[in-house]
Coordinates of all heavy atoms in Angstrom, one line a residue:
Chain A
I128 N 7.3 -20.2 -21.6 CA 8.1 -19.5 -22.6 C 7.2 -18.7 -23.5 O 6.4 -19.4 -24.2 CB 9.1 -20.3 -23.4 CG1 10.1 -21.0 -22.4 CG2 9.8 -19.6 -24.4 CD1 10.9 -22.1 -23.0
K129 N 7.3 -17.4 -23.6 CA 6.3 -16.7 -24.2 C 6.4 -16.9 -25.7 O 7.4 -16.6 -26.3 CB 6.5 -15.2 -23.9 CG 5.2 -14.4 -24.0 CD 5.4 -12.9 -23.7 CE 5.3 -12.6 -22.3 NZ 5.5 -11.2 -22.1
L130 N 5.3 -17.3 -26.4 CA 5.3 -17.5 -27.8 C 4.2 -16.8 -28.4 O 4.4 -15.8 -29.2 CB 5.2 -19.0 -28.2 CG 6.3 -19.9 -27.8 CD1 6.0 -21.3 -28.2 CD2 7.6 -19.4 -28.6
Q131 N 3.0 -17.1 -28.0 CA 1.8 -16.5 -28.7 C 1.4 -15.2 -28.0 O 0.8 -14.3 -28.5 CB 0.6 -17.4 -28.6 CG 0.8 -18.7 -29.4 CD 1.1 -19.9 -28.5 OE1 1.5 -19.7 -27.4 NE2 0.8 -21.1 -29.0
S132 N 1.7 -15.2 -26.6 CA 1.2 -14.0 -25.9 C 1.8 -12.7 -26.4 O 2.9 -12.7 -27.0 CB 1.5 -14.2 -24.4 OG 1.0 -15.3 -23.9
E133 N 1.1 -11.6 -26.2 CA 1.7 -10.4 -26.6 C 2.9 -10.0 -25.8 O 3.0 -10.3 -24.6 CB 0.6 -9.3 -26.4 CG -0.4 -9.3 -27.4 CD -1.5 -8.2 -27.2 OE1 -1.0 -7.1 -26.9 OE2 -2.6 -8.5 -27.3
P134 N 3.9 -9.4 -26.5 CA 5.2 -9.1 -25.8 C 5.0 -8.0 -24.8 O 3.9 -7.3 -24.8 CB 6.1 -8.6 -26.9 CG 5.1 -8.2 -28.0 CD 3.9 -9.0 -27.9
G135 N 6.0 -7.8 -23.9 CA 5.9 -6.7 -23.0 C 5.3 -7.1 -21.7 O 4.5 -8.0 -21.6
P136 N 5.8 -6.5 -20.6 CA 5.2 -6.8 -19.3 C 3.8 -6.3 -19.2 O 3.4 -5.2 -19.6 CB 6.1 -6.0 -18.3 CG 6.7 -5.0 -19.1 CD 6.8 -5.5 -20.5
K137 N 2.9 -7.2 -18.7 CA 1.5 -6.8 -18.6 C 1.0 -6.9 -17.1 O 0.3 -6.0 -16.7 CB 0.6 -7.8 -19.4 CG 0.7 -7.7 -20.9 CD -0.1 -6.5 -21.3 CE -0.1 -6.4 -22.8 NZ 1.2 -6.4 -23.4
T138 N 1.4 -7.9 -16.4 CA 0.9 -8.1 -15.1 C 1.8 -7.5 -14.0 O 2.9 -7.0 -14.3 CB 0.7 -9.6 -14.8 OG1 2.0 -10.2 -14.9 CG2 -0.2 -10.2 -15.8
I139 N 1.3 -7.5 -12.8 CA 2.0 -6.9 -11.7 C 3.4 -7.6 -11.5 O 4.4 -6.9 -11.3 CB 1.2 -7.0 -10.4 CG1 0.0 -6.1 -10.4 CG2 2.0 -6.7 -9.1 CD1 -0.8 -6.0 -9.2
D140 N 3.4 -8.9 -11.6 CA 4.6 -9.6 -11.3 C 5.6 -9.3 -12.4 O 6.8 -9.3 -12.2 CB 4.4 -11.1 -11.2 CG 3.7 -11.7 -12.4 OD1 2.4 -11.6 -12.4 OD2 4.3 -12.2 -13.2
Q141 N 5.2 -9.1 -13.6 CA 6.1 -8.8 -14.7 C 6.7 -7.4 -14.5 O 7.9 -7.2 -14.7 CB 5.4 -8.9 -16.1 CG 5.2 -10.4 -16.5 CD 4.3 -10.6 -17.7 OE1 3.5 -9.8 -17.9 NE2 4.5 -11.7 -18.4
S142 N 5.8 -6.4 -14.1 CA 6.3 -5.1 -13.9 C 7.3 -5.1 -12.7 O 8.3 -4.4 -12.8 CB 5.1 -4.2 -13.5 OG 4.1 -4.3 -14.3
Y143 N 7.0 -5.9 -11.7 CA 8.0 -6.0 -10.6 C 9.3 -6.5 -11.1 O 10.4 -6.0 -10.8 CB 7.4 -7.0 -9.6 CG 8.4 -7.5 -8.5 CD1 8.6 -6.7 -7.4 CD2 9.1 -8.7 -8.7 CE1 9.5 -7.2 -6.4 CE2 10.0 -9.1 -7.7 CZ 10.2 -8.3 -6.6 OH 11.1 -8.8 -5.6
S144 N 9.3 -7.5 -12.0 CA 10.5 -8.1 -12.5 C 11.3 -7.0 -13.3 O 12.5 -6.9 -13.2 CB 10.3 -9.3 -13.4 OG 9.9 -10.4 -12.6
V145 N 10.6 -6.2 -14.1 CA 11.2 -5.2 -14.9 C 11.9 -4.2 -14.0 O 13.1 -3.9 -14.1 CB 10.2 -4.4 -15.8 CG1 10.9 -3.2 -16.5 CG2 9.6 -5.3 -16.8
L146 N 11.1 -3.7 -13.0 CA 11.7 -2.7 -12.0 C 12.9 -3.2 -11.3 O 14.0 -2.6 -11.3 CB 10.6 -2.4 -11.0 CG 10.9 -1.3 -10.0 CD1 10.8 0.0 -10.7 CD2 10.0 -1.3 -8.8
L147 N 12.8 -4.5 -10.8 CA 13.9 -5.0 -10.0 C 15.1 -5.3 -10.9 O 16.2 -5.0 -10.5 CB 13.4 -6.3 -9.4 CG 14.1 -6.6 -8.0 CD1 13.8 -5.5 -7.0 CD2 13.6 -7.9 -7.5
G148 N 14.8 -5.8 -12.1 CA 15.9 -6.0 -13.1 C 16.7 -4.8 -13.3 O 17.9 -4.8 -13.3
I149 N 16.0 -3.7 -13.6 CA 16.7 -2.5 -13.9 C 17.5 -1.9 -12.7 O 18.6 -1.6 -12.8 CB 15.7 -1.4 -14.4 CG1 15.1 -1.8 -15.8 CG2 16.3 0.0 -14.5 CD1 13.9 -0.9 -16.2
V150 N 16.8 -2.0 -11.5 CA 17.5 -1.5 -10.3 C 18.8 -2.3 -10.1 O 19.8 -1.7 -9.8 CB 16.5 -1.6 -9.1 CG1 17.3 -1.4 -7.8 CG2 15.4 -0.6 -9.2
V151 N 18.7 -3.6 -10.2 CA 19.9 -4.4 -9.9 C 21.0 -4.3 -10.9 O 22.1 -4.2 -10.5 CB 19.4 -5.9 -9.7 CG1 20.6 -6.8 -9.6 CG2 18.5 -6.1 -8.5
I152 N 20.6 -4.1 -12.2 CA 21.6 -3.9 -13.2 C 22.3 -2.5 -13.0 O 23.5 -2.4 -13.1 CB 21.0 -4.0 -14.6 CG1 20.7 -5.4 -14.9 CG2 22.0 -3.4 -15.6 CD1 20.0 -5.6 -16.3
V153 N 21.5 -1.5 -12.6 CA 22.1 -0.2 -12.3 C 23.0 -0.3 -11.1 O 24.2 0.2 -11.2 CB 21.0 0.8 -12.0 CG1 21.5 2.1 -11.4 CG2 20.2 1.1 -13.3
L154 N 22.6 -1.1 -10.1 CA 23.5 -1.3 -8.9 C 24.8 -1.9 -9.4 O 25.9 -1.5 -9.0 CB 22.8 -2.2 -7.9 CG 21.9 -1.6 -6.9 CD1 21.4 -2.6 -5.9 CD2 22.5 -0.4 -6.2
G155 N 24.7 -3.0 -10.2 CA 25.9 -3.6 -10.7 C 26.9 -2.7 -11.5 O 28.1 -2.7 -11.3
I156 N 26.2 -1.9 -12.3 CA 27.0 -0.9 -13.1 C 27.7 0.1 -12.2 O 28.9 0.4 -12.4 CB 26.2 -0.2 -14.2 CG1 25.7 -1.3 -15.3 CG2 26.9 0.9 -14.9 CD1 24.7 -0.8 -16.2
I157 N 26.9 0.7 -11.3 CA 27.6 1.6 -10.4 C 28.7 0.9 -9.6 O 29.8 1.5 -9.4 CB 26.5 2.1 -9.4 CG1 25.4 3.0 -10.1 CG2 27.2 3.0 -8.3 CD1 24.3 3.4 -9.2
G158 N 28.5 -0.3 -9.3 CA 29.5 -1.1 -8.5 C 30.8 -1.2 -9.4 O 31.9 -1.0 -8.8
F159 N 30.6 -1.5 -10.6 CA 31.8 -1.6 -11.5 C 32.5 -0.3 -11.7 O 33.7 -0.3 -11.7 CB 31.4 -2.2 -12.9 CG 31.5 -3.7 -12.9 CD1 30.4 -4.4 -13.3 CD2 32.7 -4.4 -12.6 CE1 30.5 -5.8 -13.3 CE2 32.8 -5.7 -12.6 CZ 31.6 -6.5 -13.0
I160 N 31.7 0.8 -11.7 CA 32.4 2.1 -11.8 C 33.2 2.3 -10.5 O 34.3 2.9 -10.6 CB 31.3 3.2 -11.9 CG1 30.6 3.1 -13.3 CG2 31.9 4.6 -11.8 CD1 29.4 3.9 -13.4
L161 N 32.7 1.9 -9.4 CA 33.5 2.1 -8.1 C 34.7 1.2 -8.0 O 35.8 1.6 -7.7 CB 32.6 1.8 -6.9 CG 31.5 2.8 -6.6 CD1 30.6 2.4 -5.5 CD2 32.1 4.2 -6.3
T162 N 34.4 -0.1 -8.3 CA 35.6 -1.1 -8.1 C 36.5 -1.2 -9.3 O 37.6 -1.6 -9.1 CB 35.0 -2.5 -7.8 OG1 34.2 -3.0 -9.0 CG2 34.1 -2.5 -6.6
G163 N 36.0 -1.0 -10.5 CA 36.8 -1.3 -11.7 C 36.9 -2.8 -11.8 O 36.2 -3.5 -11.2
F164 N 37.8 -3.2 -12.7 CA 37.9 -4.6 -12.9 C 39.1 -5.3 -12.3 O 39.4 -6.4 -12.6 CB 37.8 -4.9 -14.5 CG 36.5 -4.5 -15.0 CD1 36.2 -3.3 -15.6 CD2 35.4 -5.4 -15.0 CE1 35.0 -2.9 -16.1 CE2 34.2 -5.1 -15.5 CZ 34.0 -3.8 -16.1
T165 N 39.8 -4.5 -11.5 CA 40.9 -5.1 -10.8 C 40.4 -5.7 -9.5 O 39.3 -5.4 -9.0 CB 42.0 -4.1 -10.5 OG1 41.3 -3.0 -9.8 CG2 42.6 -3.6 -11.8
N166 N 41.3 -6.6 -8.9 CA 41.0 -7.2 -7.6 C 39.5 -7.8 -7.7 O 38.7 -7.6 -6.8 CB 41.0 -6.3 -6.4 CG 42.4 -5.7 -6.3 OD1 43.4 -6.4 -6.6 ND2 42.5 -4.6 -5.7
Y167 N 39.3 -8.6 -8.8 CA 38.0 -9.0 -9.1 C 37.3 -9.7 -7.9 O 36.2 -9.4 -7.6 CB 38.0 -9.9 -10.3 CG 36.7 -10.3 -10.9 CD1 35.9 -9.4 -11.5 CD2 36.2 -11.6 -10.8 CE1 34.7 -9.6 -12.0 CE2 35.0 -11.9 -11.3 CZ 34.2 -11.0 -11.9 OH 33.0 -11.3 -12.4
T168 N 38.0 -10.7 -7.3 CA 37.3 -11.4 -6.2 C 37.9 -11.1 -4.8 O 37.7 -11.8 -3.9 CB 37.4 -13.0 -6.4 OG1 38.8 -13.3 -6.5 CG2 36.7 -13.4 -7.7
E169 N 38.7 -10.0 -4.8 CA 39.3 -9.7 -3.5 C 38.3 -8.9 -2.6 O 37.3 -8.4 -3.1 CB 40.5 -8.8 -3.7 CG 41.5 -9.4 -4.7 CD 42.3 -10.6 -4.1 OE1 42.8 -10.4 -3.0 OE2 42.2 -11.6 -4.8
M170 N 38.6 -8.9 -1.3 CA 37.8 -8.1 -0.5 C 38.2 -6.6 -0.7 O 39.4 -6.3 -0.8 CB 38.1 -8.4 1.0 CG 37.4 -9.7 1.5 SD 37.5 -9.9 3.2 CE 36.4 -8.7 3.8
T171 N 37.2 -5.8 -0.9 CA 37.5 -4.4 -1.2 C 36.8 -3.5 -0.1 O 36.0 -4.0 0.6 CB 37.0 -4.0 -2.6 OG1 35.6 -4.0 -2.6 CG2 37.6 -4.8 -3.6
D172 N 37.1 -2.2 -0.2 CA 36.4 -1.3 0.7 C 35.4 -0.4 0.0 O 34.8 0.5 0.5 CB 37.5 -0.3 1.4 CG 38.0 -1.0 2.6 OD1 37.3 -1.8 3.2 OD2 39.2 -0.7 3.0
H173 N 35.1 -0.8 -1.3 CA 34.1 0.0 -2.0 C 32.7 -0.4 -1.6 O 32.4 -1.6 -1.3 CB 34.3 -0.4 -3.5 CG 35.6 -0.1 -4.1 ND1 36.1 1.2 -4.2 CD2 36.6 -0.9 -4.5 CE1 37.3 1.2 -4.7 NE2 37.7 -0.1 -4.9
S174 N 31.9 0.6 -1.5 CA 30.5 0.3 -1.3 C 29.6 1.3 -2.0 O 29.9 2.5 -2.1 CB 30.2 0.4 0.3 OG 30.5 1.7 0.7
I175 N 28.5 0.7 -2.6 CA 27.6 1.5 -3.4 C 26.7 2.3 -2.5 O 26.1 1.8 -1.5 CB 26.7 0.5 -4.3 CG1 27.6 -0.4 -5.1 CG2 25.8 1.3 -5.2 CD1 26.8 -1.5 -5.7
F176 N 26.6 3.6 -2.7 CA 25.8 4.5 -1.9 C 26.3 4.5 -0.4 O 25.6 4.8 0.5 CB 24.4 4.2 -1.9 CG 23.8 4.1 -3.3 CD1 22.9 3.2 -3.6 CD2 24.1 5.1 -4.3 CE1 22.3 3.1 -4.9 CE2 23.6 5.0 -5.5 CZ 22.7 4.0 -5.9
G177 N 27.5 3.9 -0.2 CA 28.0 3.8 1.2 C 27.2 2.8 2.0 O 27.4 2.6 3.2
L178 N 26.4 2.0 1.3 CA 25.6 1.0 2.0 C 25.9 -0.4 1.6 O 26.0 -1.3 2.5 CB 24.0 1.2 1.6 CG 23.3 2.3 2.3 CD1 21.9 2.4 1.7 CD2 23.2 1.9 3.8
F179 N 26.1 -0.6 0.3 CA 26.3 -2.0 -0.1 C 27.7 -2.3 -0.5 O 28.2 -1.9 -1.6 CB 25.3 -2.3 -1.3 CG 23.9 -1.8 -1.1 CD1 23.3 -1.0 -1.9 CD2 23.2 -2.4 0.0 CE1 22.0 -0.5 -1.7 CE2 21.9 -2.0 0.2 CZ 21.3 -1.0 -0.6
R180 N 28.4 -3.0 0.4 CA 29.8 -3.3 0.1 C 29.9 -4.3 -1.1 O 29.0 -5.2 -1.3 CB 30.4 -4.0 1.3 CG 30.5 -3.1 2.5 CD 31.8 -2.3 2.5 NE 32.9 -3.2 2.8 CZ 33.4 -3.5 4.0 NH1 32.9 -2.9 5.0 NH2 34.4 -4.3 4.2
T181 N 30.8 -4.0 -2.0 CA 30.8 -4.9 -3.2 C 32.3 -5.0 -3.7 O 33.2 -4.3 -3.3 CB 30.0 -4.2 -4.2 OG1 29.7 -5.2 -5.3 CG2 30.5 -3.0 -4.8
N182 N 32.4 -6.0 -4.6 CA 33.6 -6.1 -5.4 C 33.2 -6.6 -6.8 O 32.0 -6.7 -7.1 CB 34.6 -7.1 -4.7 CG 34.1 -8.5 -4.7 OD1 33.0 -8.8 -5.3 ND2 34.7 -9.3 -3.9
G183 N 34.2 -6.8 -7.6 CA 33.9 -7.1 -9.1 C 33.0 -8.3 -9.2 O 31.9 -8.2 -9.9
F184 N 33.3 -9.4 -8.4 CA 32.4 -10.6 -8.6 C 31.0 -10.3 -8.2 O 30.1 -10.7 -8.9 CB 33.1 -11.7 -7.8 CG 32.3 -13.0 -7.9 CD1 32.3 -13.7 -9.0 CD2 31.6 -13.4 -6.8 CE1 31.7 -14.9 -9.1 CE2 30.9 -14.6 -6.8 CZ 30.9 -15.3 -8.0
H185 N 30.9 -9.6 -7.1 CA 29.5 -9.3 -6.6 C 28.7 -8.4 -7.6 O 27.6 -8.7 -7.8 CB 29.7 -8.5 -5.3 CG 28.4 -8.5 -4.4 ND1 28.3 -7.8 -3.3 CD2 27.3 -9.1 -4.6 CE1 27.1 -7.9 -2.8 NE2 26.5 -8.8 -3.5
N186 N 29.4 -7.5 -8.3 CA 28.8 -6.7 -9.3 C 28.3 -7.6 -10.4 O 27.2 -7.4 -11.0 CB 29.8 -5.7 -9.9 CG 30.2 -4.7 -8.8 OD1 29.4 -4.4 -7.9 ND2 31.4 -4.1 -8.9
T187 N 29.1 -8.6 -10.8 CA 28.7 -9.5 -11.9 C 27.4 -10.3 -11.5 O 26.5 -10.5 -12.3 CB 29.8 -10.5 -12.1 OG1 31.1 -9.8 -12.2 CG2 29.6 -11.3 -13.4
V188 N 27.4 -10.7 -10.2 CA 26.2 -11.4 -9.7 C 25.0 -10.5 -9.8 O 23.9 -10.9 -10.3 CB 26.4 -11.8 -8.2 CG1 25.0 -12.4 -7.7 CG2 27.5 -12.9 -8.2
Y189 N 25.1 -9.2 -9.5 CA 24.1 -8.2 -9.6 C 23.5 -8.2 -11.1 O 22.3 -8.3 -11.3 CB 24.5 -6.8 -9.2 CG 24.5 -6.4 -7.8 CD1 25.5 -5.7 -7.2 CD2 23.3 -6.7 -7.0 CE1 25.5 -5.4 -5.9 CE2 23.3 -6.3 -5.7 CZ 24.4 -5.7 -5.1 OH 24.3 -5.3 -3.8
I190 N 24.5 -8.1 -12.0 CA 24.1 -7.9 -13.4 C 23.4 -9.2 -13.9 O 22.4 -9.1 -14.6 CB 25.3 -7.5 -14.2 CG1 25.7 -6.1 -13.8 CG2 24.9 -7.6 -15.7 CD1 26.9 -5.5 -14.6
I191 N 23.9 -10.3 -13.5 CA 23.3 -11.6 -14.0 C 21.9 -11.7 -13.4 O 20.9 -12.0 -14.2 CB 24.2 -12.8 -13.6 CG1 25.5 -12.8 -14.4 CG2 23.4 -14.1 -13.8 CD1 26.5 -13.8 -14.0
L192 N 21.7 -11.4 -12.2 CA 20.4 -11.4 -11.6 C 19.4 -10.5 -12.3 O 18.3 -10.8 -12.6 CB 20.5 -11.1 -10.1 CG 20.7 -12.2 -9.1 CD1 20.7 -11.7 -7.7 CD2 19.6 -13.3 -9.3
G193 N 19.9 -9.3 -12.6 CA 19.1 -8.3 -13.2 C 18.7 -8.8 -14.6 O 17.5 -8.6 -14.9
L194 N 19.6 -9.4 -15.4 CA 19.3 -9.9 -16.7 C 18.2 -11.0 -16.6 O 17.3 -11.1 -17.3 CB 20.5 -10.4 -17.3 CG 21.5 -9.4 -17.9 CD1 22.8 -10.0 -18.4 CD2 20.8 -8.5 -18.9
L195 N 18.4 -11.8 -15.5 CA 17.4 -12.9 -15.3 C 16.0 -12.3 -15.1 O 15.0 -12.9 -15.6 CB 17.8 -13.7 -14.0 CG 17.5 -15.2 -13.9 CD1 18.1 -15.9 -15.1 CD2 18.1 -15.7 -12.6
W196 N 16.0 -11.3 -14.3 CA 14.6 -10.7 -14.0 C 14.0 -10.1 -15.3 O 12.9 -10.2 -15.6 CB 14.7 -9.6 -12.9 CG 14.3 -10.2 -11.6 CD1 13.2 -10.7 -11.3 CD2 15.1 -10.1 -10.4 NE1 13.2 -11.1 -9.9 CE2 14.4 -10.7 -9.4 CE3 16.4 -9.6 -10.1 CZ2 14.8 -10.8 -8.1 CZ3 16.8 -9.7 -8.8 CH2 16.0 -10.3 -7.8
L197 N 14.9 -9.4 -16.1 CA 14.4 -8.8 -17.3 C 13.9 -9.9 -18.3 O 12.9 -9.7 -18.9 CB 15.5 -7.9 -17.9 CG 15.8 -6.6 -17.2 CD1 16.8 -5.8 -18.0 CD2 14.5 -5.8 -17.1
L198 N 14.7 -11.0 -18.3 CA 14.3 -12.1 -19.2 C 13.0 -12.6 -18.7 O 12.1 -12.9 -19.5 CB 15.4 -13.2 -19.0 CG 15.5 -14.2 -20.2 CD1 16.1 -13.5 -21.4 CD2 16.4 -15.3 -19.8
G199 N 12.8 -12.8 -17.4 CA 11.5 -13.3 -16.9 C 10.4 -12.4 -17.3 O 9.3 -12.9 -17.6
A200 N 10.6 -11.1 -17.2 CA 9.6 -10.1 -17.5 C 9.2 -10.1 -19.0 O 8.0 -10.0 -19.3 CB 10.0 -8.7 -17.1
F201 N 10.2 -10.3 -19.8 CA 9.8 -10.1 -21.3 C 9.7 -11.4 -22.0 O 9.0 -11.5 -23.0 CB 10.9 -9.2 -22.0 CG 10.9 -7.8 -21.5 CD1 11.7 -7.3 -20.5 CD2 9.9 -6.9 -22.1 CE1 11.6 -6.0 -20.1 CE2 9.8 -5.6 -21.7 CZ 10.7 -5.1 -20.7

Side-chain angles (χ1 to χ4, degrees):
Chain A
I128 297 168
K129 207 185 269 183
L130 292 177
Q131 299 104 337
S132 302
E133 283 180 41
K137 287 281 185 307
T138 58
I139 288 184
D140 54 278
Q141 284 168 335
S142 314
Y143 167 86
S144 286
V145 173
L146 185 75
L147 211 62
I149 291 172
V150 166
V151 170
I152 286 179
V153 167
L154 277 184
I156 291 170
I157 296 176
F159 270 124
I160 293 170
L161 289 175
T162 62
F164 293 94
T165 52
N166 297 334
Y167 188 68
T168 60
E169 308 288 308
M170 286 188 73
T171 64
D172 274 334
H173 301 291
S174 56
I175 306 167
F176 307 138
L178 276 176
F179 310 122
R180 297 270 291 266
T181 192
N182 63 13
F184 180 72
H185 199 185
N186 295 333
T187 315
V188 173
Y189 274 137
I190 290 177
I191 289 174
L192 270 182
L194 287 175
L195 209 57
W196 263 305
L197 288 183
L198 202 70
F201 289 99

